[in-house]
Amino acid sequence: MRVGSDLHLELAGPGSRRAALIRALRDAVRDGRLTQGTRLPPYRSLAADLGLARNTVADAYAELVAEGWLTARQGSGTRVAARATPVAPVAPARVPKKAPAHTAPPAHNLRQGQPDAASFPRAAWLAAARRALNAAPNDAFGPGDPQGRFELRHALAGYLTRARGVRTDPGRIVICAGVGHALRLLFGGGVLRGPLAVESYGLGFHRSVLDGASVRTVPLTLDEHGARTGELADLKGVRGVLLTPAHQFPTGGPLHAKRRAAAVDWARGRGGVIVEDDYDGEFRYDREPVGALQGLDPDRVVHLGSVSKSLSPALRLGWLVLPEHLVGPVLAAKGEREAWTSVLDQLTLADFIGAGHYDRHIRRMRQRYRSRRDHLVTALAQHAPHITATGIAAGLHAVLRLPPGTERSTTKAAAWQGLALDGLAEFRHPAATMPADDGLVVGYATAPDHAYRAAVEALCRALPPL
């Protein structure tokens, strides 16, 4: 469409002329008459054509820009937003009950919790798999060990001791299918019982697993130093706490040393247990490494980890590092062989770690993710200097602090930009009493390299103005 060309719009329906114009422009985008990238007439021209006041058209354009339907840049005019055209609502089709539901993927993915799938080290993993298969003893193809292959437990004991400061031996490690599986073994299997203290902001799947096990959770207040573990002493009947001490999820930052010590002292005094989710402890950028909390007291801390952030969640490989007295109960809870992870994948990971490929992969991805983090921070400084990114010294995500009252509208604007991300409110415990902050949780690891810059550009377009 050329500047000043005709645009047919039906200004009908209830409400003001401004509301009718907004509704008509949305409809034109929905039904495809205004396609992505189409340049709209200047608001003065459209006002003259429709017999409206200039301010009415200008306000309508501004509203649709804020909602993500349109973009406006100096020198480029107002256009239909690229990759933001929503699908027109249609009546649901009748399909067989067992037919899978298919939804179009977002144009950009900045959700937290996933590594860059394109960066999986295929060649090194394949080489490790071949070596592991050739060297596998015959008993590897038998019923197996519910605790996991010794080769992997031995490799993990060495790696976790060296890289994360964990104090363990292979006999205290149980292999599982990930942190969710580990929590189900601990709480669904009756090894540990509630009520359980948790952080006021945390991973939703933690709460869903605990809810499924009928475990009541009690939120601890958070601040810039992590969970206020001093509050544990005032919680009646609570003998367990779930923490993310290396990099609090999602707000960022390590648990302060004094609060680590306070949590351990509480567990010792009450005969309690600390469950530590070390979900991305290997990825740090601007600070000294923060060791695992388990190193302070291996008899009071259950250390959980997996390769979901470092390699891929598709591998379904995780581990529990347990106090000695909990190994037997966890193995009893594990039960049937169908809950065990693939022996061949276990042997492959053991070789991958032993040959040094895991360390090299972590170092390579640490550099890549740091570069992405730096690009996000630079883009914010250029396009949205009033938005602060926090929790960026480590991990695979950042929290963008938003002006009060803008989180919902910003996530809506992001959706119109074809952008998948989460608001901070999604991770807030429903019983939390601390003041709620507005923010976005932006994962900078998920998108592949070739798509990352476009995703950040879409993010900047969605952010509220100063």
Side-chain angles (χ1 to χ4, degrees):
M1 171 182 283
R2 298 184 307 276
V3 175
S5 57
D6 290 338
L7 177 59
H8 176 71
L9 296 171
E10 295 284 348
L11 302 187
S16 65
R17 300 279 278 172
R18 173 183 175 276
L21 177 57
I22 291 174
R23 189 164 51 246
L25 286 168
R26 284 200 199 104
D27 290 343
V29 174
R30 283 196 184 101
D31 62 24
R33 288 187 294 118
L34 290 177
T35 58
Q36 297 174 4
T38 298
R39 187 170 183 176
L40 300 186
Y43 65 85
R44 294 178 178 83
S45 300
L46 188 59
D49 291 342
L50 298 177
L52 300 174
R54 293 179 181 181
N55 287 344
T56 299
V57 179
D59 288 347
Y61 278 13
E63 174 68 20
L64 293 172
V65 168
E67 292 180 3
W69 294 84
L70 307 176
T71 61
R73 292 184 179 179
Q74 188 172 1
S76 182
T78 303
R79 297 177 182 270
V80 177
R83 300 179 295 274
T85 307
V87 179
V90 295
R94 293 187 176 182
V95 296
K97 291 184 178 180
K98 294 184 179 181
H102 297 285
T103 57
H108 309 292
N109 193 347
L110 290 179
R111 290 196 185 278
Q112 60 74 37
Q114 300 178 38
D116 178 6
S119 297
F120 184 82
R122 301 184 188 213
W125 186 261
L126 178 59
R130 286 173 173 166
R131 289 192 301 268
L133 185 59
N134 287 333
N138 291 335
D139 67 359
F141 301 95
D145 183 348
Q147 192 166 354
R149 289 295 301 185
F150 177 82
E151 295 92 334
L152 178 55
R153 291 187 284 116
H154 176 76
L156 282 172
Y159 172 78
L160 293 172
T161 299
R162 169 174 51 81
R164 301 296 303 126
V166 170
R167 294 159 57 192
T168 189
D169 59 63
R172 298 172 69 157
I173 297 176
V174 174
I175 304 303
C176 60
V179 170
H181 184 207
L183 291 174
R184 290 184 183 94
L185 291 175
L186 291 171
F187 294 96
V191 178
L192 301 177
R193 301 185 184 278
L196 180 71
V198 297
E199 296 157 330
S200 284
Y201 284 84
L203 286 160
F205 90 88
H206 282 174
R207 288 199 296 272
S208 65
V209 170
L210 295 169
D211 288 346
S214 299
V215 173
R216 182 171 68 88
T217 55
V218 182
L220 296 174
T221 307
L222 288 169
D223 60 23
E224 66 272 18
H225 299 301
R228 293 182 176 175
T229 53
E231 296 176 358
L232 289 168
D234 299 325
L235 301 180
K236 304 298 183 182
V238 172
R239 297 182 60 190
V241 59
L242 173 61
L243 299 171
T244 53
H247 185 231
Q248 201 287 320
F249 183 90
T251 61
L255 184 63
H256 192 277
K258 290 183 178 180
R259 296 185 180 182
R260 287 173 164 241
V264 171
D265 289 343
W266 168 84
R268 289 170 178 167
R270 190 167 290 192
V273 176
I274 302 169
V275 180
E276 171 186 28
D277 183 357
D278 196 38
Y279 69 99
D280 64 358
E282 299 100 334
F283 296 103
R284 77 274 178 184
Y285 313 112
D286 303 324
R287 72 177 192 206
E288 293 298 317
V290 176
L293 181 62
Q294 189 268 2
L296 296 181
D297 193 336
D299 293 327
R300 289 295 168 193
V301 181
V302 175
H303 179 88
L304 309 182
S306 77
V307 299
S308 293
K309 307 294 187 297
S310 56
L311 284 170
S312 169
L315 293 176
R316 311 311 308 147
L317 282 169
W319 50 86
L320 304 93
V321 182
L322 294 159
E324 191 171 356
H325 69 280
L326 292 182
V327 174
V330 167
L331 293 179
K334 199 171 184 185
E336 297 297 330
R337 288 195 293 267
E338 283 71 16
W340 305 354
T341 52
S342 164
V343 165
L344 293 181
D345 286 341
Q346 291 183 52
L347 293 173
T348 300
L349 180 57
D351 183 280
F352 195 77
I353 294 171
H357 292 303
Y358 191 67
D359 285 86
R360 286 190 286 273
H361 177 72
I362 291 293
R363 287 195 297 269
R364 182 170 62 252
M365 298 312 298
R366 190 182 295 146
Q367 293 173 354
R368 182 170 298 178
Y369 293 149
R370 177 173 184 163
S371 176
R372 293 188 183 190
R373 190 245 2 219
D374 291 347
H375 177 74
L376 172 63
V377 172
T378 299
L380 290 174
Q382 292 176 346
H383 301 290
H386 57 293
I387 303 295
T388 302
T390 63
I392 59 175
L396 306 181
H397 72 272
V399 174
L400 273 55
R401 302 292 179 171
L402 299 175
T406 62
E407 180 177 318
R408 181 173 296 183
S409 61
T410 304
T411 55
K412 182 179 179 180
W416 290 125
Q417 293 290 342
L419 184 61
L421 49 67
D422 296 302
L424 188 58
E426 295 292 323
F427 305 98
R428 182 179 170 87
H429 192 285
T433 58
M434 60 182 290
D437 293 326
D438 285 68
L440 300 177
V441 181
V442 177
Y444 46 78
T446 306
D449 281 344
H450 71 272
Y452 180 66
R453 288 181 178 272
V456 172
E457 290 176 2
L459 172 65
C460 291
R461 290 194 296 269
L463 293 175
L466 181 63

